[in-house]
Amino acid sequence: GRAFIWDWLRGTEKESFACEHGYFLSSAELPIWRTSMLGCSDGYAYIWAWGDGEELKLPYYKRSTEEIVEAIKERLETYFTQNLNGWERWAISNQIRNHHDFREWVK
């Protein structure tokens, strides 16, 4: 979805903002100069300062499923490379086929 700011005197589009992974469900004009809040179906609310083109995604530290999966993969890779010696890494790489096997081996 997209949100637009229009110049009604000239009949032209002044600014626009996109919700990349969904569509806008709600909007509100904030009393702060040239700022709007937009609620998107991707689970985020955006504070859009359309005067200077800045945006803030809320909740601030919310992560998508893809970001969580990537963080888990990075932690497993770090564990594999930093906590295991060469023989253990070799044995694991020959025995483990997916992350479920690795998780069972670590237990």
Side-chain angles (χ1 to χ4, degrees), residues 45-59:
Y46 296 89
I47 296 177
W48 176 37
W50 57 270
D52 58 6
E54 297 294 321
E55 66 184 69
L56 174 64
K57 194 189 280 189
L58 299 174

Side-chain angles (χ1 to χ4, degrees), residues 27-44:
S27 65
E29 181 182 351
L30 299 177
I32 304 168
W33 179 253
R34 295 183 176 181
T35 304
S36 300
M37 180 172 268
L38 303 161
C40 186
S41 64
D42 65 358
Y44 290 101

Side-chain angles (χ1 to χ4, degrees), residues 1-6 13 15-19 24 26-27 36 38 48:
R2 295 192 69 78
F4 298 94
I5 302 293
W6 290 93
E13 174 189 328
E15 297 290 334
S16 68
F17 180 70
C19 178
F24 290 115
S26 61
S27 65
S36 300
L38 303 161
W48 176 37

Side-chain angles (χ1 to χ4, degrees), residues 21 42 44 46 57 59-75:
H21 303 289
D42 65 358
Y44 290 101
Y46 296 89
K57 194 189 280 189
Y60 192 63
Y61 285 111
K62 179 181 179 264
R63 298 188 298 176
S64 68
T65 306
E66 294 82 17
E67 292 169 331
I68 292 169
V69 167
E70 188 61 34
I72 291 170
K73 285 180 183 179
E74 287 175 12
R75 288 184 68 186

